Amino acid sequence: MLLRIAVQAKGRLFDETMTMLSESSIKIESSKRTLLVPAKNFPVEILYLRDDDIPQAVASGIADVGIVGENEYEERQEEADIIKRLDFSKCRISLAIPNAKVPEYDQMGLKWFDGKKIATSYPGILKKFLDKNGIKSDIHVITGSVEIAPGIGLADCIFDIVSSGSTLVSNNLKEVEIVMKSEAVLIGNKNICAEKKEILNELLFRFDSYKNAEGKKYVVLNIPNDKIAAATELLPGMKAPTVTKLETEGWSSLASVLEEKHFWEIIGKLKQLGAEGILVMPIEKMIL
Ligand code: PRP
Ligand code: ZN
């Protein structure tokens, strides 16, 4: 029995989804990108779809689980559950208006959108937001290149995905209201059988091990014995650092785990304590 995972065939989530699978030691032959590809060494198969179609595919049981943007899941309102937030492909779904209209907007606030034509691929999420705020706009649905709509006179403004913001900048638009924050999520069919659930649990375990190791480094260093306590405070590790006596009198070797984002700050402090011979190594997986 194979657990069938629906994945975006290309686009925003594709690369990171594939990285997560391969870092979880799930080998998928990428050469022949047919619609349905079984993994070589794990009981899953990958179903490549357009992201808009993934929530429905999961709800109907065509796929058991799917990896999709939360915005897409929210928009489709299909009967599927969010099993896990995956912490990648983060973005916002925002209202953006032409730069020239910003002074007007600053005066009026959300009321500015009353009677305006808004281009979007997410009419459901937008309508909910407008209704909640008592605003009546004309929602104009387009499936791609939403950002060019105001420039060509197709709409007054847009409601779209913003990630780096560079698409808005190059189209002279300004993000004025964040309606929703989104990231990749793993969604699941509501009636997965016990056997597939077991495969799913193993999959989740592997995703976790990969995520836990992400951004973490293994550090080994030499430290004077009277500084071990201070160094331990800087490097708490998973439980506590490993301390081994060195042959050199008065010195120990200390090994621990360090978060990359605090790397330089902590290394600096360790050097001040007198740490020497600091080795930093990548961590591939981390089982807590
Ligand atoms: C989204 C959105 C913008 C772009 C914004 O498109 O429609 O075009 O990303 O990203 P930025 O803020 O980093 O410039 P996406 O790549 O998801 O493709 P699609 O909307 O055409 O499916
Ligand atoms: Zn786009």
Side-chain angles (χ1 to χ4, degrees), residues 208-219 237-238 256-263 280-286 288:
D208 280 345
S209 314
Y210 163 59
K211 282 287 160 197
N212 288 335
E214 222 188 7
K216 299 224 173 53
K217 300 283 174 194
Y218 187 67
V219 202
M238 286 194 273
S256 191
V257 172
L258 164 63
E259 274 208 52
E260 197 162 25
K261 60 182 173 201
H262 300 131
F263 183 79
V280 180
M281 287 159 275
I283 296 175
E284 207 176 290
K285 308 274 188 306
M286 202 158 137
L288 295 178

Side-chain angles (χ1 to χ4, degrees), residues 12 147 160-167:
R12 150 177 314 273
E147 57 274 4
D160 199 14
I161 293 176
V162 183
S163 172
S164 65
S166 64
T167 301

